[in-house]
Structures are given as structure tokens and as C-alpha cells.
Amino acid sequence: MANDGTTAATDGTATGSGDTARSLELLWGGGERPSRGPKPGLTLDRIVTAAVAVADAEGLSAVSMRRLSTELGTGTMSLYRYVPGKAELLDLMLDRVLGEPLPAPREEAAEAAGTDRTDATGPGAPDWRAAVDTMARSYLDNLRRHPWLLKINQARTVLGPSALRGLELALGGLRGMGLRDPELIGVIITVNSFVEGLARTQADAAEAVRQTGLSDEEFWDRQRPYLERAMLSGAYPMMATMAEDTFSADFDHFEFGLRRLIAGFEALVRERAEAGTTA
Amino acid sequence: MANDGTTAATDGTATGSGDTARSLELLWGGGERPSRGPKPGLTLDRIVTAAVAVADAEGLSAVSMRRLSTELGTGTMSLYRYVPGKAELLDLMLDRVLGEPLPAPREEAAEAAGTDRTDATGPGAPDWRAAVDTMARSYLDNLRRHPWLLKINQARTVLGPSALRGLELALGGLRGMGLRDPELIGVIITVNSFVEGLARTQADAAEAVRQTGLSDEEFWDRQRPYLERAMLSGAYPMMATMAEDTFSADFDHFEFGLRRLIAGFEALVRERAEAGTTA
DNA sequence: CCAGAATGGGTACGGTGTACGCGAAAACGA
DNA sequence: TCGTTTTCGCGTACACCGTACCCATTCTGG
């Protein structure tokens, strides 16, 4: 069994209030190079790129300042000429990855959502169901490509350039729903939360397999005696009578949940449309 | 700005395959005390309790073996007589917190979900909408009480005693939906993923506030000039025309998403019921 | 009574982020 | 042209972390 510890940085006054301004400058690239002094031998870009590469290949735990410095062939402390601290570097990694080009949207999603169309924009407009579907799929793809995203505090980069672009894109696809602005944000938050939670579960499982060296089957086998004893104890009557295929990997929980979410939005959109025609 | 680093443990062969058995024993409390040797001065229970207390009060980053040992008045290495490593301690913390008593269910949730009832079990049965509502609320409560839960790898404790009990409880409330077993699991996973993702966003925001020392307003103020410049750039036309109250805190995204989810389930349940009567 | 087992815990090692300070490099003012 | 000033690279040092190893102490079964 393996549960990765998470250890914070200095945690005290190190990441004070003064860093916010610097971090924003880094995010938006506002810094002009000063004319005095020697030319810098590194770029912020190179550092962030290296960090993302290491994280992708070996996980976020492999991303340390010392590791990055050897990767870049410099001294460790040189990195601090470009980044105030590791926390800010993580922010930059996040924005970098959020800015990656999205895969092409899939169009068959619209009809898979089922039932009749009651859009505010008429039949010719781009379908919001496809937009929701694409949004969920591309976010899940991103999280699968970069599982370490799930371990990074996303609170403060919501307003970075890449995140803004993503939000803009998402809102564009949702226009046809005919909902109020805060509700549109609600749609996005709901879908993203769902995808994130699901991806986390999957990433945790993958990490556990990697760290313990046990495959899923081996782990279940190891677990089985305890489970069987628990079932026989009578304390779990509901679970004891579950069908064999209940926990089968054939069932796609992402697909299931996404369909339910879209159906839930559909209900609201129709409700609004009906209220609109009667009023 | 502050992004907490996450640093892994030894990460190599330390958490090998042999620990799984030991961890399961600890989870299910199978160990008999050997009669030889001195009596242990500590309990696994006391260690876990102390760890949870520290995590609740100061965050998971404050939970270190040294800190726990001083908290318990023992030597640091003594802890390793009770727990194979920190990873397993985290597993135990997880199961401990999952086993906490749930708050009383709220009953008004059933009608808030709206529309007509088409249950397979008739009108007298406990309503699954209330069950879903309660499930989501109690999980969110738990995550708010113990935000560090979001940083712990949940993959391997899914089958601990407390988690099993929770699953059993959830399944009981969902019986009336008339869905297949894998679909019931799908409902649970979908709701939990949504809640977890949402809680994570909130917890991240809270942690960012705590670590930077800036309030939300201060942070937004600091951010504003960059945002305004971005809006004026014309690169974000959709966002630029958003209503003032779009990002207001008055809008409850949890409530919104949960209603949508329940409505989505409702659609499936009705669909099945109709297919059942025509067949 | 004492051999054998189990507990408590000190020391030490290799990892982490980063504060501090110094030498070298580059451009500006005189 | 020559200080002067600013910036860059980065070596050293410190406080933390998890935990391997080892030994003295404490207890019990034979």
C-alpha cells in the first residue's frame, strides 16, 4: 500500500504578499530585460519547459530545484534569478499546460445526448451539448496527459492568460443554452469538477499501482480474504448481493456521468424555454 | 502567490509489495499483541488520532513523524513500531475520518429536485433523490472538515471498513432508482467526483488565502490591472461582455451542480420506467 | 532464572527548499 | 577610457523531512 506524503515548502513568511505581483508579471510576461549587467544564460521558458518535461516523465515528485538545475546544466541557485520560488514555478507550469492546443472537437456528441432540441438560438447554431462534451473530453485528456496537474493548487492561476483563453472558449460554446451568466459559469464549474474528481480517482489508482509494484489484480487478490470475511459478517448486506459485473472495468463511468450531466442541463434549458414561450 | 510543493517519500523500494499485507492488517485490526516483550506504551489509535488532530488544525504539511512524536511525548522512531511508514499512516487517517458519524439527512431535498416521481418501488419507499442529496452534502461536509483528505491518495483505501460502510449506506438509498448495479455505482462515482472536484477548488482557494496572507479582495485588486488590460486587448470578447454579477459569491455552484445531477438521474430513471411499462 | 522476543529511541544519511553573500560580467556616466 | 553600478551565476549553509540501522531495556515462557 502506498500513500504519497505531501510536504509543504517553508510555509511561513517565505511566500509572503510581495510575491503576488512578481508572479503576475511572470505569468503575463511583463518584464523588460534590464540593460545593465551580464546577459542571462537561461530563459524562464526553458525552465518551465524542463519542469513540465520532468513532471510528465517521472511525476511531480521528481521536480526539484536541484534536479532541474542539473537538467539545465546550471547551478541550483541560478534558478532563483528567474523564479521567486518553487511555488511560482508550479503556477507557471500550470499555465503552460493549460495553454496547450486542444484536440479537435467530436461532433457525434450532440445527438448522443438525446431528446429534442430547445435552444434559444435556433437549429442552425452550434450545439451547446457538443460544446459541453468537448469541454469535458479535452479537460480529461489534459489531465491524463499531465496527471500532476491534480496535485497543483489551481486557485491562483484561474486568471492566467491560458486559463482565460480556455474559459473564453468554453463560454463561446455555451451561449446557445440561454442561461444567465452565473449559470453558465456554474455549468463549466460543474463539468470541470466532475471531470477533475474522476481523473483524480484514476490517477490515484495508476500511481498506487506504480508505487506498490502490484497490479490491480494482485492487489484485489491480496484484499479478497478481508473482503470476503467482511461480506460474511453480515454488516454489508447490500454489497453482498451485488451482481458480479458491478465493479467491472467495462462500464465507463466517465461516459455515464457526462451523459447524466448533459441531461441535467437539458432539463434546465427546456424549463427555461417553456417559461419563455408562456410568458 | 503560493503553490505548495508536493514532495514524495523515498519513492523507491521503500514502499514495496510486502507492506500491503501489513497495511490491511492495520486497517482491519487483525493484529494480536504478542505476549513476549515489554508492553507497548503507545496505541495505533492514539497515533492516528494525533495525526488527524494536527492535520485538521494546521494542514497535512504539519503532519510529520517528528511532530507527531513530540505531540505524543515519545521518540520519533518509536512510531515505526506501530506503523510501517508514513504512507500507511495516511491510509489509516483516511479510514478514520471516513468512519465519522454522518450528519442527519435533510428531507426537504426530495421535493426540491422537482418534477414527478416514477420510482420502481412505489411512492412509499424512501426517496433516492434525498439519498443522493444527503450523500453529496455529507461528503462535502467531511471534505470541509478535513480539507487534507483531498491531498491523500484514496486509491487503496476504497475497501477499508469505513469506506465499505459508506458505500453500503449509499447503495441502500439508491435502490429505488431501478437501475442496474454498475449504474448505481456510476451514480455514486459521479456525485462523489463532482463534490470532490468542487471541494478541491474551494480548499485550494482557502489555502491560497492562508498562505499568501492576502484576502480574496486584495488578490483580485492586485490582479485587476492585468485583467483589464487583457479585456481591452480584444482577445477575450466573450468574457468582456459578461454581466457584473457573473463571478459573484452569491451564486451557489454546489447547489446548482447538484440539482443538475439529480435532474440528469431523473431523466434516466424515467426513461427506464417508461421502457419497462411498454415492454 | 534466564534465553528470547519485543519495545523505545538515538544517531546518521540522503533528500528537500532556499537565505545569504561573493566574484565576475556587462553597460552607463564621466 | 575608466570607474561605478547593476545584474548574473552559484557555492555554502541551514532547517526541515522520512527512515535504515543498531543497541539497551523490559518483559515473559520454559
Side-chain angles (χ1 to χ4, degrees):
Chain A
M1 211 171 264
N3 225 327
D4 218 275
T6 66
T7 316
T10 321
D11 229 294
T13 54
T15 317
S17 57
D19 296 328
T20 307
R22 181 102 175 82
S23 239
L24 287 172
E25 270 176 37
L26 292 176
L27 264 179
W28 295 95
E32 308 298 315
R33 203 180 83 69
S35 62
R36 287 294 241 281
K39 287 155 194 162
L42 239 51
T43 349
L44 206 151
D45 228 66
R46 279 189 63 204
I47 297 178
V48 177
T49 304
V52 169
V54 171
D56 284 344
E58 304 173 45
L60 196 61
S61 67
V63 177
S64 76
M65 300 308 262
R66 282 174 177 80
R67 169 66 187 275
L68 287 182
S69 69
T70 62
E71 206 82 19
L72 292 164
T74 66
T76 304
M77 293 315 288
S78 305
L79 300 177
Y80 287 89
R81 292 276 169 199
Y82 301 84
V83 169
K86 195 188 180 182
E88 288 77 11
L89 176 56
L90 295 181
D91 285 342
L92 293 173
M93 290 172 67
L94 214 177
D95 196 75
R96 162 70 58 91
V97 158
L98 257 42
E100 285 176 357
L102 302 172
R106 309 174 17 168
E107 284 308 333
E108 76 267 29
E111 51 222 283
T115 75
D116 46 344
R117 307 288 159 76
T118 47
D119 284 16
T121 51
D127 191 53
W128 61 263
R129 296 162 201 82
V132 169
D133 193 275
T134 302
M135 180 169 68
R137 284 216 147 68
S138 60
Y139 192 34
L140 183 66
D141 278 356
N142 228 358
L143 292 179
R144 279 214 238 260
R145 242 195 319 266
H146 313 290
W148 46 269
L149 277 178
L150 294 163
K151 297 188 173 171
I152 290 192
N153 188 331
Q154 313 231 357
R156 300 261 124 142
T157 328
V158 181
L159 304 158
S162 301
L164 271 192
R165 202 179 67 95
L167 197 54
E168 174 77 16
L169 234 74
L171 281 171
L174 266 41
R175 262 296 150 86
M177 295 181 83
L179 301 181
R180 298 190 301 119
D181 283 348
E183 289 173 329
L184 289 182
I185 301 293
V187 169
I188 295 175
I189 287 184
T190 301
V191 172
N192 280 5
S193 292
F194 162 69
V195 173
E196 208 172 295
L198 204 101
R200 157 165 297 271
T201 304
Q202 294 178 356
D204 278 1
E207 191 176 313
V209 166
R210 195 168 49 80
Q211 278 195 346
T212 61
L214 265 64
S215 75
D216 253 2
E217 290 78 22
E218 287 173 310
F219 181 73
W220 272 77
D221 284 350
R222 191 97 40 147
Q223 201 101 298
R224 202 177 308 277
Y226 294 92
L227 277 181
E228 283 176 354
R229 197 179 317 156
M231 289 307 132
L232 291 176
S233 77
Y236 310 98
M238 217 62 85
M239 300 211 54
T241 63
M242 294 246 102
E244 279 254 345
D245 65 335
T246 302
F247 294 97
S248 161
D250 293 340
F251 191 86
D252 191 331
H253 293 290
F254 172 74
E255 226 59 55
F256 177 82
L258 184 55
R259 291 294 146 247
R260 290 312 99 219
L261 268 173
I262 292 181
F265 297 142
E266 188 93 48
L268 181 62
V269 167
R270 184 164 39 224
E271 190 179 304
R272 287 294 165 81
E274 286 167 4
T277 50
T278 53
Chain B
M1 212 171 262
N3 225 328
D4 220 271
T6 66
T7 316
T10 320
D11 228 298
T13 53
T15 316
S17 58
D19 296 327
T20 308
R22 181 101 176 82
S23 240
L24 286 172
E25 272 175 34
L26 291 177
L27 263 180
W28 294 95
E32 308 298 315
R33 202 180 84 70
S35 60
R36 283 299 241 285
K39 286 152 194 162
L42 241 50
T43 351
L44 207 151
D45 229 64
R46 280 189 62 205
I47 297 178
V48 177
T49 303
V52 169
V54 171
D56 284 345
E58 304 173 45
L60 196 61
S61 67
V63 177
S64 76
M65 300 308 262
R66 281 174 176 83
R67 168 65 187 273
L68 286 181
S69 68
T70 63
E71 206 83 17
L72 292 164
T74 66
T76 304
M77 293 315 290
S78 305
L79 300 177
Y80 287 89
R81 293 279 165 198
Y82 301 84
V83 169
K86 196 188 180 182
E88 288 76 11
L89 176 57
L90 294 182
D91 285 341
L92 293 174
M93 290 172 66
L94 213 177
D95 196 75
R96 162 70 58 91
V97 158
L98 257 41
E100 284 177 358
L102 303 172
R106 310 174 15 166
E107 285 305 336
E108 76 266 29
E111 52 221 282
T115 75
D116 46 346
R117 306 288 158 75
T118 47
D119 284 15
T121 50
D127 191 54
W128 61 262
R129 297 162 201 82
V132 169
D133 192 274
T134 303
M135 179 169 69
R137 285 215 148 65
S138 60
Y139 192 35
L140 183 65
D141 279 356
N142 228 358
L143 291 179
R144 279 214 239 259
R145 244 196 316 268
H146 312 290
W148 45 270
L149 277 178
L150 295 163
K151 297 189 173 171
I152 290 191
N153 188 330
Q154 312 231 358
R156 300 262 123 142
T157 328
V158 181
L159 303 159
S162 301
L164 271 191
R165 202 179 66 96
L167 197 53
E168 175 78 14
L169 234 73
L171 282 170
L174 266 41
R175 263 295 150 88
M177 295 181 82
L179 301 181
R180 298 189 303 119
D181 283 349
E183 289 173 328
L184 289 183
I185 301 293
V187 169
I188 296 176
I189 287 184
T190 301
V191 172
N192 280 3
S193 291
F194 162 68
V195 173
E196 208 171 296
L198 204 99
R200 157 165 300 270
T201 304
Q202 295 179 355
D204 278 1
E207 191 176 313
V209 166
R210 195 169 48 80
Q211 277 196 346
T212 60
L214 265 64
S215 76
D216 252 3
E217 289 79 22
E218 287 173 310
F219 182 72
W220 271 77
D221 283 352
R222 191 97 42 148
Q223 201 101 299
R224 200 175 310 276
Y226 295 91
L227 278 181
E228 284 178 354
R229 196 178 318 155
M231 289 307 132
L232 290 177
S233 77
Y236 310 98
M238 217 61 86
M239 299 212 54
T241 63
M242 294 247 99
E244 279 255 343
D245 64 335
T246 301
F247 295 96
S248 161
D250 294 340
F251 191 85
D252 191 331
H253 293 290
F254 172 75
E255 226 58 57
F256 177 83
L258 183 55
R259 289 297 146 244
R260 290 312 100 218
L261 268 173
I262 292 181
F265 298 142
E266 188 93 47
L268 180 61
V269 168
R270 184 164 38 224
E271 190 180 303
R272 287 294 165 80
E274 286 167 3
T277 50
T278 53

